[in-house]
Amino acid sequence: MSKMKAVIPAAGLGTRFLPATKAMPKEMLPVVDKPAIQYVVEEAVSAGIDDILVIIGRNKNAISDHFDSVPELEVRLQQKGDHGRLERVMKSSDLADIHFVRQGEPKGLGHAVLRARTHVGDSSFAVLLGDDLIDERDPLLTEMIAAHERTGAAVIALMQVPAESIHLYGVAATDGDDADGAVRVTGLVEKPSAGDAPSDLAVIGRYVLPPAVFEVLERTQPGKGGEIQLTDALQELATDPDGPGVVGVVFRGRRYDTGDRVDYIKAIVQLAVDRDDLGADLRPWLKDFAGGL
Ligand code: G1P
């Protein structure tokens, strides 16, 4: 099992989902029947990671409660003989060694990642953003860890996105192709307009980073939106002639965005139709429903 730790920033305000996120973190919104953050934790565990640090903000106690055991509930399900649900309830508390640290003031993704410095120490680590869910059949993070071990570079996940969405992402300038599984990244821009974007390759929320990124983040000034941007720190690593640089793993698999309401609804439908226990009921209903639109 890899020694790498994972960091999950979960301190965002979730304003796009208000009022659902007034008292509950957006990471706890259910995607079918699991909170979004559990998919992300399971993805890290599948890549061999068993130590996870969640960066939390205000109102985030529900996240730590979710990954804790609930003895009363477990006893009740045991007594009822409901072993399926018991297993699912216990799974979330048995997944990994999960730690929490508060971000304090929300000053941006770069600032959130910097809060992991003490826990991570002088080792490479993975960062997983909860708005992007990667299908469990597509082992993106495993490929990224392998690319990091091969190159020593910071590794980002890239995905082609249409021009009208490019302004929502960090965007990479690249050199060459990804024939050996990774492409050299020569520059990065946070949320450019379509006209200014260096390519159609967007940074999706998976990173495997060397500890050197912490030193860069310490001095990274607020950028886009007045926030300390991880993208800006990576731009510095990508253009440092003396370092191992940044490479991108181009992802062509299944990704579900839960960052805004329409994408969130699509993610739930896509995941539910694929489920053995729900798909058979849902598919014919969906066809019928769509036919009536
Ligand atoms: C963050 C990053 C951005 C990246 C995106 C992926 O933005 O700053 O570079 O492309 O995640 O989801 P956010 O979506 O948090 O605004």
Side-chain angles (χ1 to χ4, degrees), residues 175-203:
D175 194 11
D177 59 32
D178 65 334
D180 65 349
V183 64
R184 176 65 45 190
V185 173
T186 55
L188 284 154
V189 197
E190 179 67 4
K191 304 198 174 107
S193 63
D196 291 335
S199 75
D200 62 354
L201 289 173
V203 178

Side-chain angles (χ1 to χ4, degrees), residues 48-125:
I49 294 173
D50 61 5
D51 182 309
I52 294 172
L53 179 71
V54 184
I55 318 287
I56 50 174
R58 143 196 100 76
N59 275 344
K60 301 288 173 146
N61 293 338
I63 300 179
S64 48
D65 286 348
H66 179 72
F67 292 107
D68 208 352
S69 57
V70 192
E72 320 81 88
L73 180 59
E74 289 166 18
V75 167
R76 176 71 67 87
L77 291 169
Q78 185 90 51
Q79 282 166 349
K80 282 169 64 182
D82 193 342
H83 300 295
R85 282 205 182 85
L86 178 62
E87 203 181 304
R88 291 202 289 278
V89 161
M90 289 175 71
K91 188 176 176 199
S92 59
S93 43
D94 285 344
L95 276 169
D97 199 1
I98 303 183
H99 308 266
F100 299 89
V101 66
R102 285 190 180 271
Q103 186 178 2
E105 263 180 276
K107 292 192 203 160
L109 178 59
H111 177 251
V113 170
L114 190 52
R115 298 287 292 123
R117 187 174 198 170
T118 309
H119 185 81
V120 165
D122 197 24
S123 308
S124 297
F125 62 105

